Amino acid sequence: MKRFYCIVIILCIFLGGIHITAYADTGGDGNIDSGGGGMGQGTNQNKWSSGNEGVRVTVVRANDHAVVTSPIDLTNSPPENSLYHFGKVCKLQYTMGTALSPVKGGYTCIKPPQVIPRVISSNGRNNIEVIKKYFCSEFLVKLVANHTGINYDVLIGGEYRLLLEPIAYYTFRGKLFATTATEAALYDQKLSGGLRKRMVSLTHKNLPLSMFLEIADLGYPAWGGSRSTAASDADIISSLGLGIVRFNEMPPEETEVRTYDYEYRTNTEVITAVTVRGGQSDPDHPVSVIFDTPSGRISVDNVYYPDGESQLAWIRWTTPDTPQVLTIHVQVQGGGTVSKGEILVKIVDLDENPPPDPNADDRNDSFSMPSVPGKEQETTANWNVWRPRWHNEWVWHDDPNDEEDRGYWCDHGWWEFDLDHYSASLTASISIIPDEKSPTASGKTMKSGYGINEKVMTHVSTSQSSAVTAAQNAVTYFPEFGYENYWRLLERMGGGYDIIHEFKENRYSTYNRRTHFVPIWFPDGNYTPYTWLIDCWTPAGMLSMNLTDSVIIRGNLWNDWHIAPQKVN
């Protein structure tokens, strides 16, 4: 049997064989740790019994975070299939913009022949080694391979990961539900806090805190927040309720890596955000967040959120025109804490490595066509803003000193909160055509040695324009350089949310045209530049797209000159 090393990058909770029925509150590389806490009391309409749980397993490709199989749900105690659920959707798919879609009935799950260790705890105690051993076992990985249709040796070869998400089966408003932590948080947002109000100990504490990352992976951060108190919807969606199993032929070498919170491009408008939490912020007790940036101090006032929740606070600013590393200091006034007191930012200049002079007599007889790469792509983003509103509660007060029994009305009201939802989306198209100075080009067909033109057309749509930038930069990589080593930063043409990007003027072109020259030695077939469209910034992060288009190479310019190059030994 092929040996493999399995690294579990999860922190998880385990409760032993004690069966506990708990009613929810009606108010308001082994790399593993624990969290969670007590369940509280509640009603028969809103309850969860320990052991009513499962784990959703999804096979994910590591290099581009693509979901390559349909998720499967594993459980020791299959619930009735007529319950309410949200289909087989994993956290990565929700992160990429899949909408929450409720389903009644038709729920399917798998009961493994070997019992799954208890994952969701009611008291914060766990057995970390048992959980790690189970999810790294040959038995579990082969079970996943068999049920998802992926070859076992391929699965453990290092290219894929297992994404784990705990599932809870519970009664809410008298109906049986199955949700992951992410689904519970998304559903709570739809209900404006209605699920949290009744099931907070399960859906916002013990379920999301049953698994979270100690080391960032697949685009999700390591969790550094509380391990014993209820989390906000935003924190659950961004950081909680997941574990990751990695497979490696050999243990990874330890390397020292400097982690930046943001990487920006020079002279680019960006969004920098932090999460504020702790207590309640309302118009009577407002919170402000202060950012100290290179261009000065920026204050974000009136950052509101209810008790137990959190709120993104962000600034919109323009980066310096020179590459550098800088630190943005963040502080809070009026109470609460921020997710980061210091934000480390790396600013790079992508216009420093254009291709060299394309000498006409160069040859590359060892060239082989590389695969087109794919960098990080996010085309949608969602974020929320809490909006306070006053709930009046008028109470009559008698005046004991007034013989005429007069009194007064007093408003004993309180602040309630509505959650406003915002979004942004990025679309784009690319066109690669032969340059008009290519005399024998026809349509998309041309000879090597001549130039090509590129045009990238972008569109950004959003429900909160003050919080979203245009797609400001596009970088094109070329097959003759293996899609690395050299690239061209395209020039922005115009402004607004419909920016067009084209090649900058080429100093090696006789007419200073906006062109890129296809090497004269490039073989016949498709010539496919690859463009990464980036720097559409939102409070939830950067939107980006991978774009490709091709021209067809047939012959070379030597044919037009009726001479042929001589190979020099």
Side-chain angles (χ1 to χ4, degrees):
M1 185 190 72
K2 184 177 180 180
R3 293 187 62 194
F4 66 89
Y5 294 84
C6 177
I7 304 170
V8 186
I9 312 182
I10 61 176
L11 295 107
C12 45
I13 307 166
F14 175 74
L15 176 66
I18 304 172
H19 183 81
I20 300 172
T21 297
Y23 296 99
D25 295 338
T26 55
D29 68 15
N31 199 355
I32 305 173
D33 212 329
S34 63
M39 283 295 299
Q41 299 296 323
T43 70
N44 282 315
Q45 291 293 302
N46 305 287
K47 65 179 181 179
W48 171 77
S49 297
S50 85
N52 288 342
E53 63 175 64
V55 177
R56 181 163 296 168
V57 183
T58 310
V59 180
V60 178
R61 191 163 53 230
N63 64 350
D64 61 358
H65 306 172
V67 175
V68 298
T69 66
S70 295
I72 59 173
D73 290 358
L74 309 179
T75 180
N76 297 326
S77 304
E80 58 185 66
N81 64 7
S82 60
L83 52 63
Y84 288 86
H85 58 102
F86 297 96
K88 293 296 193 300
V89 183
C90 75
K91 191 179 187 80
L92 269 170
Q93 291 168 312
Y94 286 120
T95 300
M96 294 176 183
T98 299
L100 199 66
S101 180
V103 179
K104 185 182 188 303
Y107 179 74
T108 60
C109 57
I110 299 163
K111 183 178 180 179
Q114 293 186 22
V115 175
I116 305 170
R118 194 74 56 82
V119 173
I120 305 175
S121 170
S122 294
N123 63 2
R125 291 202 300 254
N126 60 15
N127 191 328
I128 295 168
E129 292 305 317
V130 170
I131 293 174
K132 179 170 67 173
K133 183 177 180 180
Y134 186 89
F135 286 107
C136 280
S137 68
E138 179 186 2
F139 151 77
L140 185 280
V141 179
K142 283 190 171 181
L143 183 145
V144 172
N146 290 338
H147 282 281
T148 59
I150 190 169
N151 179 273
Y152 172 74
D153 289 325
V154 172
L155 179 57
I156 67 173
E159 184 180 352
Y160 298 97
R161 290 174 173 41
L162 298 184
L163 173 62
L164 311 177
E165 297 178 76
I167 304 169
Y169 306 117
Y170 56 92
T171 300
F172 172 58
R173 292 177 175 172
K175 296 179 174 60
L176 185 60
F177 277 79
T179 68
T180 64
T182 301
E183 288 170 336
L186 291 169
Y187 188 41
D188 185 59
Q189 288 184 342
K190 296 288 186 184
L191 299 178
S192 296
L195 180 60
R196 180 189 180 95
K197 183 177 180 180
R198 295 170 175 82
M199 301 291 295
V200 60
S201 295
L202 173 67
T203 58
H204 289 71
K205 183 167 64 174
N206 292 308
L207 174 59
L209 290 174
S210 64
M211 285 190 183
F212 52 85
L213 302 186
E214 189 176 47
I215 298 173
D217 198 4
L218 293 182
Y220 295 105
W223 175 244
S226 171
R227 303 183 183 189
S228 60
T229 59
S232 68
D233 290 332
D235 284 341
I236 294 170
I237 293 166
S238 69
S239 310
L240 294 172
L242 77 157
I244 294 169
V245 178
R246 297 195 301 189
F247 307 101
N248 294 277
E249 291 295 332
M250 294 295 292
E253 296 182 4
E254 294 186 4
T255 57
E256 182 178 352
V257 179
R258 191 176 188 188
T259 302
Y260 298 98
D261 299 301
Y262 285 96
E263 180 174 292
Y264 297 134
R265 266 54 61 185
T266 55
N267 194 29
T268 301
E269 192 175 31
V270 297
I271 303 288
T272 302
V274 295
T275 301
V276 190
R277 61 170 59 84
Q280 176 168 299
S281 173
D282 55 48
D284 291 332
H285 305 91
V287 164
S288 296
V289 182
I290 312 299
F291 295 81
D292 285 313
T293 73
S295 56
R297 173 169 288 195
I298 304 174
S299 177
V300 181
D301 299 323
N302 302 324
V303 180
Y304 299 132
Y305 53 90
D307 187 25
E309 283 293 345
S310 62
Q311 177 62 60
L312 281 174
W314 63 85
I315 57 173
R316 184 170 179 165
W317 60 289
T318 300
T319 60
D321 56 7
T322 57
Q324 57 191 274
V325 173
L326 54 87
T327 300
I328 297 175
H329 297 277
V330 186
Q331 57 181 303
V332 180
Q333 293 181 350
T337 60
V338 289
S339 52
K340 285 187 175 292
E342 291 186 348
I343 301 173
L344 189 61
V345 176
K346 182 180 182 181
I347 298 174
V348 299
D349 186 351
L350 291 178
D351 201 20
E352 292 183 334
N353 212 23
D357 184 4
N359 294 317
D361 57 352
D362 280 351
R363 299 181 65 102
N364 189 351
D365 296 323
S366 62
F367 175 78
S368 61
M369 193 71 70
S371 298
V372 178
K375 296 180 181 290
E376 178 183 355
Q377 174 168 294
E378 295 287 347
T379 58
T380 61
N382 299 275
W383 63 97
N384 305 304
V385 176
W386 289 103
R387 176 168 46 84
R389 56 182 172 83
W390 183 254
H391 179 94
N392 296 106
E393 184 73 15
W394 291 99
V395 177
W396 175 262
H397 290 263
D398 292 324
D399 187 349
N401 299 318
D402 191 333
E403 295 180 355
E404 297 183 12
D405 196 24
R406 289 180 297 187
Y408 60 94
W409 289 96
C410 183
D411 188 355
H412 288 218
W414 57 86
W415 289 105
E416 293 185 343
F417 293 82
D418 294 319
L419 191 60
D420 294 334
H421 303 279
Y422 297 98
S423 64
S425 64
L426 171 64
T427 57
S429 61
I430 183 174
S431 172
I432 303 279
I433 60 173
D435 186 87
E436 65 179 19
K437 294 296 183 180
S438 176
T440 56
S442 175
K444 300 274 280 187
T445 302
M446 60 178 287
K447 294 180 178 181
S448 63
Y450 292 107
I452 58 170
N453 304 137
E454 176 178 355
K455 180 178 289 187
V456 175
M457 291 142 287
T458 73
H459 177 69
V460 177
S461 59
T462 179
S463 54
Q464 191 180 22
S465 59
S466 62
V468 179
T469 73
Q472 301 161 83
N473 287 308
V475 190
T476 300
Y477 302 82
F478 303 96
E480 64 266 35
F481 305 114
Y483 297 110
E484 53 188 15
N485 299 329
Y486 300 100
W487 54 83
R488 292 192 187 280
L489 177 65
L490 276 59
E491 184 173 349
R492 307 169 197 165
M493 313 297 288
Y497 282 150
D498 297 290
I499 290 179
I500 294 175
H501 300 265
E502 297 182 4
F503 286 136
K504 295 183 179 181
E505 291 184 355
N506 190 336
R507 63 192 179 106
Y508 300 116
S509 167
T510 305
Y511 303 99
N512 290 322
R513 299 188 58 77
R514 298 179 182 276
T515 190
H516 173 80
F517 292 103
V518 179
I520 195 170
W521 49 260
F522 198 86
D524 285 359
N526 285 347
Y527 179 81
T528 307
Y530 157 72
T531 297
W532 192 31
L533 178 64
I534 54 176
D535 289 329
C536 173
W537 286 96
T538 79
M542 183 184 76
L543 301 186
S544 58
M545 285 189 71
N546 295 308
L547 300 167
T548 59
D549 193 19
S550 302
V551 293
I552 302 170
I553 301 300
R554 291 285 185 269
N556 58 63
L557 65 77
W558 294 118
N559 302 134
D560 292 342
W561 295 355
H562 305 293
I563 59 175
Q566 300 297 313
K567 181 175 180 180
V568 179
N569 295 322

